Amino acid sequence: SAYLISKANFIACHYPIFLEKSDMLKDIKEGGTFLINSPVESGEIWDSLPVSTQKTIIDKKIKIKFKRFSNANSWLGVESGNG
């Protein structure tokens, strides 16, 4: 059976390019948590986000969690022969 979530407490973005292509945070609850996996350093993550995403984070008081991956090919499984 299908479960429809109208408002999420937690959203994760594993491919930062998606932030430029869609409004991933439109259905997050106010005060929800947003996990970002990204190749950028933690001090640069805010500036790497689209302005529209930054605005949503501020307006909805979203908590940000950050996970840095150092090698996108490795992270995507290319080096291990899975990609």
Side-chain angles (χ1 to χ4, degrees), residues 5-74:
I5 298 172
S6 60
K7 292 291 180 185
N9 290 316
F10 178 86
I11 293 178
C13 177
H14 303 287
Y15 299 96
I17 192 74
F18 289 164
L19 295 172
E20 298 173 14
K21 298 180 181 283
S22 68
D23 184 4
M24 289 188 69
L25 299 177
K26 69 179 176 151
D27 293 323
I28 195 168
K29 288 183 178 181
E30 184 165 332
T33 300
F34 181 45
L35 170 66
I36 305 168
N37 285 319
S38 176
V40 301
E41 297 289 338
S42 61
E44 301 168 1
I45 190 68
W46 183 257
D47 292 335
S48 74
L49 298 174
V51 172
S52 60
T53 300
Q54 293 175 359
K55 182 177 179 347
T56 301
I57 290 168
I58 292 168
D59 292 347
K60 292 188 175 184
K61 300 174 181 74
I62 296 169
K63 296 178 282 295
I64 298 175
K65 301 293 182 183
F66 172 72
K67 172 72 172 109
R68 182 173 185 273
F69 60 88
S70 60
N71 181 325
N73 288 335
S74 175

